[in-house]
Amino acid sequence: MSNDNMMESERQEEYIKKCQIYVSAFEAEHGRLPKACVVTFGCQMNARDSEKLCGILEKAGYALTDSEEEADFVLYNTCTVRDNANQRVYGRLGCLNSLKKKKPHLKIALCGCMMQEQSVIEKIQKSYRFVDLIFGTHNIFQFAELLSAMLSSGDMIVDIWEGTDKIVENLPVKRKYSYKSGVNIMFGCNNFCSYCIVPYVRGRERSREPREILREIEALVEDGVSEVMLLGQNVNSYGKNLENPMSFAALLKEVEKIEGLRRIRFMTSHPKDLSDELIEVMQRSTKICRHLHLPLQAGSDRILQAMNRRYTKAQYLALVDRLKHAIPDIAITTDLIVGFPGETLADVEETIDVVRKVQFDNAFTFIYSPRTGTPAAAMENQVPEKTVHEGFDKLLAVVQETAKERAALLQGKVMEALVEEVNEQDPAFVTGRLGNNMLVHFKADRRLVGKFVMVSLDTCHGFYYTGRMVDWLGQTKHTRLGKMVDNQWLN
Ligand code: SAH
Ligand code: SF4
Ligand code: F3S
């Protein structure tokens, strides 16, 4: 780690101490700790950022809560990838305003991707005066400092940076799950797909040093984590801008060596950068999950070109062929956009054709949302809403049908699942995640959360399974924990 960054984390520790003084004063006055609620919108990257924000809040002495009504401090970590993400934030801010009228000491802060847009800041400054603190994606590592400033000021604080080359390590983190964790390997994006706002709000690509990544994962494993998700907007271009360049495949090989780590996932892969070296590493790995999220976006070459995706339909299909040939049990999921400027129903048919040929295990289907400042938003041939919906409905039907067919193929199989949580509807059941990212519900003791078990996928319900725990021979297991811990397959 560079000295500069070391000093930065130490500086922030000092501000955490300042916040602790405020927390003690609050406790003396109210007879309880102040409560903080962090609400996350958007992708895995934001979810990981929120864990860092929670880490700082917890260290400062706040009690974390999921309830905005109970909170003394509410922080929204926002997303702006599509307009509906923004609208949700504005809607919920309206509710917070009423809450603040009843509870004037309530402090409200906003951060994340949406705050990197000038027009959003102007709107909040004009119409949402009750917000106390606004910061962006580039200075999130200064949250302790900003929090401390907010606590000692009565005015709205706005601090947005246009970019940063800093990567600050070693700040506190509060994980949502004890047994799995996201790990940032890079920040930002250089691809500038013509519809996408991410490069504008997250800045240019910066990779973390491999030793920092490996050290973080080792520490996570020591702390009980058995599954990691390596995070970046385009993990396949990892390492290109490091002092000693390193490929993503080479990084994966190093991660694989970490003892005690059981599962490795990563997100997201851009098809144009997916190397044969990566396919080979996945093929040989015993830890990398048999799942690849490989956003297609569209199937028409004309639209792909206008999107600046830099691959053709044929190239995408050839890549999938190579993947399926090397790793026959791989699950492939994707993202699709309908209604990009100039897209006709004939173009959507091209997307549908790819869906039929690839047989995606799952696909997130989005309606194109114009984002101010992106090239696509300025294109003249925006598609009428009626055409968009027609294409969207057609595509969705095929996506659901093929995903169901894929899921049905595994019915009756026995697979390993990582038990993630107790079922909300019936606490006698738990939910496990398979290597291919599908979920299975089965009867089991809640103390198995965080453990690996073998499950028979008895019934396929389209997007999930119900099943039962079994041993290696396929025999039903009893769910009393005492009986099972003796079994070697239960780690
Ligand atoms: N870096 C990732 C995706 C980040 S955004 C990647 O390239 O795969 C997640 C998804 O949101 C994208 O894959 C895309 O399908 C969708 N998306 C991004 N911008 C959008 C827009 N303006 N309208 C609709 N969907 C969009
Ligand atoms: Fe957006 Fe494209 Fe970058 Fe993904 S690769 S974040 S879609 S610009
Ligand atoms: Fe949204 Fe920002 Fe992620 S715009 S999708 S939260 S990178």
Side-chain angles (χ1 to χ4, degrees):
M1 197 184 346
S2 74
N3 283 341
D4 208 23
N5 286 345
M6 177 76 94
M7 269 161 48
E8 185 57 47
S9 58
E10 281 165 11
R11 265 189 78 229
Q12 295 307 314
E13 292 288 341
E14 289 306 309
Y15 284 108
I16 291 177
K17 285 186 196 138
K18 288 196 180 163
C19 296
Q20 286 167 348
I21 297 171
Y22 164 84
V23 167
S24 305
F26 183 101
E27 192 180 9
E29 191 186 331
H30 295 84
R32 63 170 178 88
L33 291 173
K35 291 184 187 172
C37 173
V38 177
V39 181
T40 312
F41 302 81
C43 65
Q44 311 264 5
M45 234 101 20
N46 257 20
R48 184 63 179 159
D49 283 347
S50 287
E51 292 187 341
K52 295 176 186 176
L53 296 164
C54 287
I56 286 166
L57 285 166
E58 196 175 63
K59 196 142 182 212
Y62 278 86
L64 296 173
T65 169
D66 288 334
S67 153
E68 284 159 85
E69 279 81 38
E70 275 182 20
D72 305 289
F73 174 56
V74 175
L75 171 57
Y76 285 173
N77 188 7
T78 62
C79 169
T80 184
V81 78
R82 285 169 292 274
D83 189 54
N84 52 11
N86 299 45
Q87 294 316 321
R88 276 170 54 214
V89 169
Y90 289 129
R92 290 179 73 151
L93 270 178
C95 302
L96 279 189
N97 190 17
S98 326
L99 204 60
K100 192 162 179 162
K101 283 189 183 133
K102 280 186 261 163
K103 200 160 70 170
H105 80 270
L106 174 67
K107 292 278 186 189
I108 298 168
L110 300 172
C111 68
C113 296
M114 203 175 142
M115 301 305 128
Q116 291 296 138
E117 288 180 277
Q118 185 60 35
S119 58
V120 169
I121 300 297
E122 281 163 15
K123 181 165 173 170
I124 293 168
Q125 281 177 321
K126 192 162 156 262
S127 311
Y128 299 84
R129 294 291 317 156
F130 55 91
V131 173
D132 300 285
L133 167 66
I134 304 174
F135 57 102
T137 56
H138 302 300
N139 55 343
I140 192 164
F141 64 85
Q142 293 197 329
F143 175 50
E145 185 171 350
L146 293 159
L147 181 67
S148 140
M150 180 197 80
L151 293 171
S152 54
S153 154
D155 300 326
M156 183 195 271
I157 298 175
V158 182
D159 193 359
I160 308 290
W161 296 7
E162 289 206 349
T164 184
D165 53 6
K166 270 201 162 113
I167 297 181
V168 179
E169 307 279 357
N170 287 349
L171 290 168
V173 180
K174 165 77 180 164
R175 284 202 313 278
K176 189 167 172 200
Y177 304 99
S178 59
Y179 51 86
K180 69 170 182 179
S181 178
V183 174
N184 298 105
I185 63 166
M186 59 199 298
F187 303 92
C189 181
N190 287 354
N191 285 319
F192 290 95
C193 302
S194 63
Y195 51 81
C196 184
I197 200 165
V198 171
Y200 304 88
V201 296
R202 286 272 173 174
R204 291 299 67 72
E205 234 169 69
R206 285 155 290 139
S207 295
R208 277 176 81 194
E209 286 294 336
R211 62 172 180 279
E212 296 290 349
I213 297 169
L214 296 169
R215 204 167 63 180
E216 179 176 347
I217 301 175
E218 280 159 8
L220 286 168
V221 170
E222 218 153 280
D223 197 35
V225 166
S226 44
E227 176 178 310
V228 291
M229 163 92 81
L230 308 180
L231 297 172
Q233 291 297 351
N234 177 13
V235 291
N236 297 329
S237 73
Y238 169 80
K240 285 188 182 149
N241 53 4
L242 287 172
E243 215 170 293
N244 300 308
M246 181 189 212
S247 70
F248 178 54
L251 176 72
L252 275 175
K253 274 198 212 162
E254 294 303 309
V255 176
E256 173 105 17
K257 288 181 197 156
I258 296 175
E259 238 172 273
L261 181 65
R262 294 274 299 265
R263 274 181 176 179
I264 305 168
R265 298 181 188 276
F266 50 85
M267 188 127 173
T268 301
S269 284
H270 195 303
K272 79 174 163 60
D273 296 314
L274 200 146
S275 65
D276 287 337
E277 187 196 5
L278 176 64
I279 299 179
E280 200 183 313
V281 170
M282 282 184 84
Q283 185 185 25
R284 293 199 178 156
S285 168
T286 55
K287 296 185 181 175
I288 301 174
C289 290
R290 271 31 195 153
H291 171 223
L292 187 70
H293 187 64
L294 193 64
L296 166 70
Q297 313 300 1
S300 145
D301 284 342
R302 198 172 54 85
I303 297 300
L304 282 172
Q305 193 175 19
M307 285 178 162
N308 192 29
R309 288 293 286 180
R310 284 170 282 174
Y311 52 81
T312 60
K313 176 182 173 188
Q315 283 168 333
Y316 187 93
L317 287 171
L319 175 60
V320 168
D321 271 350
R322 289 207 297 285
L323 279 160
K324 288 196 171 181
H325 183 74
I327 312 158
D329 57 343
I330 196 165
I332 300 179
T333 56
T334 202
D335 291 344
L336 304 168
I337 299 177
V338 179
F340 183 87
E343 192 179 52
T344 62
L345 288 173
D347 291 318
V348 179
E349 285 302 328
E350 295 283 312
T351 309
I352 291 176
D353 186 46
V354 181
V355 173
R356 288 226 160 90
K357 289 195 165 112
V358 173
Q359 294 272 301
F360 290 110
D361 291 76
N362 197 4
F364 298 98
T365 311
F366 304 113
I367 288 181
Y368 167 72
S369 169
R371 309 311 293 133
T372 312
T374 61
M379 292 178 184
E380 275 165 12
N381 43 358
Q382 303 289 323
V383 183
E385 214 173 297
K386 193 170 158 286
T387 317
V388 176
H389 284 283
E390 196 179 325
F392 182 85
D393 292 346
K394 263 184 113 171
L395 176 63
L396 192 64
V398 181
V399 158
Q400 288 178 342
E401 181 191 308
T402 48
K404 256 192 197 159
E405 278 167 29
R406 283 284 300 170
L409 293 177
L410 293 178
Q411 182 166 295
K413 293 247 181 332
V414 172
M415 286 177 83
E416 190 182 52
L418 171 56
V419 182
E420 294 208 328
E421 55 201 8
V422 176
N423 198 297
E424 270 176 28
Q425 276 109 43
D426 185 347
F429 280 74
V430 297
T431 302
R433 192 177 294 273
L434 307 171
N436 67 7
N437 215 32
M438 293 279 284
L439 297 178
V440 54
H441 305 292
F442 54 98
K443 222 173 198 174
D445 192 296
R446 59 170 58 222
R447 282 170 295 177
L448 284 174
V449 169
K451 305 273 189 246
F452 287 91
V453 297
M454 298 305 289
V455 184
S456 166
L457 309 176
D458 293 338
T459 314
C460 174
H461 302 267
F463 299 104
Y464 65 93
Y465 304 93
T466 46
R468 76 206 132 84
M469 260 182 13
V470 294
D471 61 18
W472 286 114
L473 300 170
Q475 306 288 317
T476 305
K477 292 297 299 178
H478 297 287
T479 58
R480 287 215 328 275
L481 187 73
K483 227 177 164 181
M484 289 179 304
V485 273
D486 299 325
N487 271 283
Q488 51 179 357
W489 51 263
L490 193 81
N491 63 339

